[in-house]
Amino acid sequence: MQLQLLPTSHTFFTRFSLSPIIHRNTNMTSGSNSLMWFRKGLRIHDNPALEYAAKNSNHVYPVFVIDPHYMKPDPNSFSPGSNLAGLNRIRFLLESLLDLDSGLKKLGSRLLVLHGEPSEVLIRCLKQWDIKRLCFEYDTEPYYQALDAKVKNYALENGIEVFSPVTHTLVNPVEIIEKNGGKPPLSYQSFLKLAGEPHWLISSLCTTPATIPPIGDLGNCEVSEVPTVEQLGYEHFQEEDPDPPLFKGGESEALRRLQESTNNKEWVAKFEKPKGDPSAFIKPATTMLSPYLKFGCLSTRYFYQCIKEVQQEVKNHTSPPVSLIGQLLWRDFFYTVGFGTPNFDRMSGNTICKQIPWNDDDELLAAWRDARTGFPWIDAIMVQLRKWGWIHHLARHSVACFLTRGDLFVHWEKGRDVFERLLIDSDWAINNGNWLWLSCSSFFYQYNRIYSPISFGKKYDPTGAYIRHFLPVLKDMPKEYIYEPWKAPLSVQTKAKCIIGKDYPKPVICHDDAIKECKRKLAAAYELNKKTNGVVTDEDMKKLRRKLVEDQGQGNDSRRLKQKLI
């Protein structure tokens, strides 16, 4: 099957065969009003919900609701943005909405932006605009599941047809869970066996003219244009001396980047994760398409088709789990497990998560979050995260391991919250899944395999160019000390204009001691989880904490006695 890149003018768009969630009003006649509710799926290409809304409708109302739950400015947060989203992601979203609005205007429509609690706003619009058909992309996140239930219940009680296709993933998580006996598969390989080839691959791919009926009477609904960050209240939230934005939001940019990536067919065919250079910052060693997939500016299925086309031309290509298609399937895997696992985003009450007595240390958390650990490789990554809203996947592995099972033993939920806020591509299922994995709380249990905060980065960047860029205070430190500047003689520190403990922090922990302590605690926690079949009570956890403290005290006494005897 041949597939050409979609024109960025949006003159045409792709329609795939899929199994939508549809609640039909059999009395509905043609020529009724339809409402297209955008949340993710901020695109015109491969948007079955938008296409369905346009069918046999007199008027189509394309709507996006600015939700204060995500968008209300929070002056008390540790970085510019709302309580849940950093300014980088908010800016990317607004750019994506502007691009969507531009695309809709080329088709004789526009994006209607409203403000407020989404279910309340949607129900008000359904009433005032005499809507007979409500269309939106299905979302598996718990927040949207609850939100959608309110809106769908109102719609169905009032004879409004609801069309909610599964188009944010390659496969339908509901179908995978049903095939697996009502539970999500907990390994990637078992997921692949259940998923097979996506349904829509067997259907002929067709392009049809995108015609969208005009917007009707808006009634008393307060509709606005896409706001700026200043209009949302972020005029005092700008970072000082920010780097130029790495990403520009929107479907047009997503398709341009996709074209650029797929033009290099050898690179696409031979892509192999986890290989790649986490220290590459001038030209990062990846597609850089994750934010566009997160917001649905780029169709996952369209991306999949483009990779398939390359693989037909370049026969010698990598395969899942390491290939680019493998990465898209990893995404689907986490979506499926997240959707089918109660309390997936926390340790407590999560049946697939090991119960571990993590430290509750806000000082260590803040040092990690604010790039003050004293380990340049870790701190440089966290600076890049804050400035760019993106870091390489191996860099994510490094800092997540360091915070949790590697060095600081801080709860993975705390790190997850920081990533959720700062990453432009932060995705509920993938973010939680990766933190569960990297903290050895689920999926992966080889807690003895640690990402060193010193040697891991040095392997890719021995001269420390990455560190010098993101931590300019260390730019003159000799390469021999760039990863361990506390070891530099005072004369070297003075010449480099960087005194450790004054200009740059001393390490917050001794790495060699910390990894031993982390392994000791994890071994004890694993033993408890095994003994209780994973049903660890609060009392069990209290006893384990007391035991770990006692054992640590005895260990310290033994070390002191040994030193005295020597």
Side-chain angles (χ1 to χ4, degrees):
M1 174 167 32
Q2 294 298 311
L3 179 69
Q4 299 299 318
L5 279 173
L6 302 175
T8 55
S9 66
H10 303 141
T11 306
F12 297 94
F13 66 97
T14 305
R15 184 177 70 246
F16 293 104
S17 171
L18 69 161
S19 301
I21 294 175
I22 184 167
H23 303 280
R24 194 181 302 281
N25 173 8
T26 55
N27 297 320
M28 180 176 171
T29 58
S30 63
S32 302
N33 294 342
S34 296
L35 189 152
M36 172 63 201
W37 181 18
F38 286 98
R39 296 96 64 86
K40 297 172 188 170
L42 302 180
R43 63 180 184 273
I44 293 175
H45 77 275
D46 180 28
N47 196 328
L50 177 61
E51 181 187 6
Y52 193 80
K55 283 181 179 177
N56 300 319
S57 295
N58 281 339
H59 302 288
V60 172
Y61 295 79
V63 166
F64 185 89
V65 182
I66 300 290
D67 185 351
H69 176 71
Y70 285 110
M71 304 287 274
K72 183 180 179 181
D74 182 1
N76 297 317
S77 290
F78 66 85
S79 72
S82 70
N83 180 47
L84 295 175
L87 193 55
N88 280 323
R89 187 155 85 250
I90 290 170
R91 185 181 288 114
F92 185 94
L93 170 59
L94 296 178
E95 290 170 351
S96 300
L97 295 177
L98 277 173
D99 189 67
L100 177 61
D101 182 48
S102 176
L104 290 168
K105 284 176 178 174
K106 291 172 184 176
L107 301 171
S109 185
R110 59 169 282 209
L111 186 64
L112 306 174
V113 178
L114 298 100
H115 299 250
E117 198 282 324
S119 64
E120 295 175 2
V121 171
L122 261 291
I123 290 171
R124 188 164 66 247
C125 292
L126 293 175
K127 290 177 183 176
Q128 290 208 14
W129 299 340
D130 191 26
I131 299 297
K132 297 301 180 186
R133 179 188 288 157
L134 171 64
C135 303
F136 56 90
E137 183 179 65
Y138 188 81
D139 200 308
T140 57
E141 288 188 29
Y143 177 74
Y144 286 105
Q145 285 280 301
L147 195 63
D148 295 355
K150 294 179 187 177
V151 177
K152 283 192 286 189
N153 287 341
Y154 172 84
L156 297 175
E157 287 171 2
N158 289 273
I160 298 171
E161 179 184 353
V162 178
F163 181 80
S164 182
V166 178
T167 53
H168 194 60
T169 49
L170 298 173
V171 297
N172 187 339
V174 176
E175 292 179 3
I176 299 297
I177 292 169
E178 287 175 353
K179 285 182 182 179
N180 201 45
K183 295 182 179 180
L186 297 182
S187 75
Y188 181 75
Q189 291 303 325
S190 59
F191 168 80
L192 288 185
K193 289 177 183 177
L194 291 164
E197 287 281 21
H199 292 305
W200 42 268
L201 272 181
I202 63 175
S203 303
S204 59
L205 188 67
C206 61
T207 55
T208 55
T211 57
I212 301 178
I215 295 166
D217 182 17
L218 294 175
N220 295 324
C221 290
E222 294 184 12
V223 173
S224 71
E225 298 287 337
V226 177
T228 63
V229 290
E230 290 79 15
Q231 288 169 338
L232 286 178
Y234 292 104
E235 64 270 19
H236 302 302
F237 282 54
Q238 306 293 338
E239 288 270 24
E240 292 183 8
D241 190 28
D243 281 0
L246 185 66
F247 299 97
K248 178 184 178 183
E251 178 181 20
S252 299
E253 178 67 10
L255 292 173
R256 186 195 69 77
R257 288 183 180 230
L258 176 63
Q259 173 85 68
E260 190 176 82
S261 292
T262 52
N263 278 346
N264 189 344
K265 295 178 181 179
E266 285 292 322
W267 182 85
V268 170
K270 294 179 180 178
F271 181 91
E272 187 173 352
K273 194 176 178 181
K275 291 182 179 178
D277 183 355
S279 69
F281 62 92
I282 296 174
K283 186 179 180 182
T286 183
T287 66
M288 306 292 284
L289 289 171
S290 56
Y292 303 95
L293 293 171
K294 179 264 188 301
F295 282 102
C297 301
L298 174 63
S299 159
T300 311
R301 293 182 304 230
Y302 183 55
F303 187 17
Y304 185 98
Q305 289 278 20
C306 290
I307 300 168
K308 280 285 190 183
E309 186 183 49
V310 170
Q311 290 183 346
Q312 288 173 2
E313 293 186 39
V314 185
K315 300 301 180 184
N316 185 20
H317 57 77
T318 54
S319 301
V322 300
S323 64
L324 275 177
I325 280 181
Q327 303 318 300
L328 293 179
L329 290 166
W330 272 112
R331 178 178 182 269
D332 272 40
F333 168 68
F334 281 131
Y335 264 83
T336 302
V337 181
F339 180 63
T341 305
N343 301 311
F344 183 67
D345 57 352
R346 64 197 70 173
M347 181 176 78
S348 178
N350 183 346
T351 57
I352 71 168
C353 179
K354 289 195 180 297
Q355 304 300 297
I356 297 170
W358 300 108
N359 294 337
D360 185 17
D361 193 319
D362 288 339
E363 289 187 11
L364 286 180
L365 173 69
W368 173 83
R369 182 194 67 201
D370 299 337
R372 295 185 286 102
T373 70
F375 290 87
W377 172 245
I378 299 299
D379 292 341
I381 293 170
M382 296 306 290
V383 170
Q384 184 189 20
L385 172 60
R386 186 185 288 250
K387 286 192 169 189
W388 288 18
W390 181 90
I391 48 178
H392 189 273
H393 63 270
L394 289 177
R396 301 181 195 206
H397 292 189
S398 291
V399 294
C401 178
F402 183 86
L403 180 70
T404 57
R405 64 184 170 89
D407 289 83
L408 303 187
F409 211 70
V410 171
H411 204 309
W412 64 266
E413 291 177 20
K414 303 281 190 179
R416 182 273 320 278
D417 290 345
V418 173
F419 270 31
E420 182 178 302
R421 176 181 176 75
L422 294 180
L423 284 170
I424 295 175
D425 62 11
S426 175
D427 186 302
W428 183 83
I430 300 170
N431 192 28
N432 281 291
N434 277 319
W435 276 95
L436 282 163
W437 187 300
L438 291 164
S439 65
C440 281
S441 295
S442 191
F443 305 116
F444 177 77
Y445 304 108
Q446 297 178 39
Y447 58 80
N448 288 308
R449 294 176 60 183
I450 303 294
Y451 289 88
S452 167
I454 300 164
S455 61
F456 185 74
K458 192 182 294 186
K459 176 173 67 173
Y460 297 95
D461 181 22
T463 64
Y466 176 85
I467 291 170
R468 297 176 201 282
H469 178 81
F470 289 106
L471 294 175
V473 68
L474 292 169
K475 65 182 175 63
D476 296 323
M477 188 66 67
K479 68 178 183 179
E480 293 82 6
Y481 301 108
I482 191 69
Y483 284 89
E484 300 173 278
W486 62 89
K487 289 186 175 180
L490 183 58
S491 60
V492 173
Q493 296 180 31
T494 302
K495 186 176 180 181
K497 302 181 183 65
C498 181
I499 305 301
I500 303 307
K502 176 186 174 186
D503 303 305
Y504 180 71
K506 295 178 180 179
V508 291
I509 44 88
C510 170
H511 173 63
D512 290 341
D513 291 343
I515 57 174
K516 292 175 185 176
E517 188 63 16
C518 286
K519 289 175 182 178
R520 181 180 74 88
K521 291 178 178 178
L522 282 165
Y526 271 42
E527 183 61 32
L528 175 61
N529 279 262
K530 182 180 179 181
K531 181 180 176 182
T532 61
N533 262 344
V535 184
V536 179
T537 66
D538 290 343
E539 186 58 33
D540 291 332
M541 193 67 83
K542 287 178 183 177
K543 289 179 180 177
L544 177 59
R545 288 183 185 278
R546 283 197 296 268
K547 183 178 184 302
L548 289 171
V549 170
E550 290 170 1
D551 290 350
Q552 184 178 23
Q554 291 172 3
N556 289 339
D557 290 343
S558 176
R559 280 190 290 273
R560 281 194 291 269
L561 178 60
K562 184 177 180 181
Q563 290 170 353
K564 187 176 181 180
L565 291 172
I566 291 172

